[in-house]
């Protein structure tokens, strides 16, 4: 293609400047986001971590969740700040208790 016939690149594309669709960083990491660490009681194993993560992941705007049973901490990244009551309800649905932000 000559310069005259090249199509302009769309803005907001998922492709990196190198032309690759994946350059090692997630779109959320590039755009930023809000990371909040919550304290949850009752988690004792990997199954507990998965149950809490699954429920919190269902909240609108959540982009990642990492639960650690040994510390009781759940790190949530979202596009915007979350309503703590929504997080509390999700943790409750999983069978655990949110005690607040860590």
């Amino acid at each position: 293609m000559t310069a005259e016939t090249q199509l302009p690149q769309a803005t907001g594309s998922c492709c990196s400047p190198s032309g690759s669709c994946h350059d090692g960083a997630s779109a959320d990491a590039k755009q930023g986001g809000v990371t909040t660490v919550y304290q949850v009681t009752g988690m004792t194993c990997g199954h507990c971590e998965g149950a809490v993560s699954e429920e919190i992941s269902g909240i609108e705007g959540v982009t990642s969740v990492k639960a650690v049973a040994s510390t009781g901490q759940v790190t949530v990244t979202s596009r915007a700040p979350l309503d703590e009551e929504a997080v509390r309800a999700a943790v409750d649905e999983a069978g655990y208790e949110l005690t607040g932000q860590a």
Side-chain angles (χ1 to χ4, degrees):
M1 251 190 226
T2 66
E4 297 156 60
T5 59
Q6 286 183 344
L7 298 174
Q9 287 189 338
T11 58
S13 170
C14 68
C15 294
S16 69
S18 68
S20 165
C21 287
H22 303 285
D23 65 359
S26 72
D28 291 321
K30 287 185 231 173
Q31 295 175 358
V34 178
T35 300
T36 308
V37 180
Y38 297 96
Q39 196 66 43
V40 174
T41 60
M43 294 189 300
T44 59
C45 65
H47 173 77
C48 300
E49 294 169 345
V52 169
S53 295
E54 182 178 345
E55 289 298 330
I56 294 174
S57 292
I59 299 171
E60 179 75 29
V62 170
T63 57
S64 73
V65 180
K66 179 170 176 57
V68 180
S70 62
T71 63
Q73 293 189 337
V74 180
T75 303
V76 181
T77 303
S78 56
R79 290 187 288 272
L82 297 175
D83 174 26
E84 190 167 313
E85 287 308 309
V87 178
R88 186 176 308 282
V91 170
D92 185 60
E93 182 67 27
Y96 306 92
E97 181 182 355
L98 176 72
T99 58
Q101 291 187 23

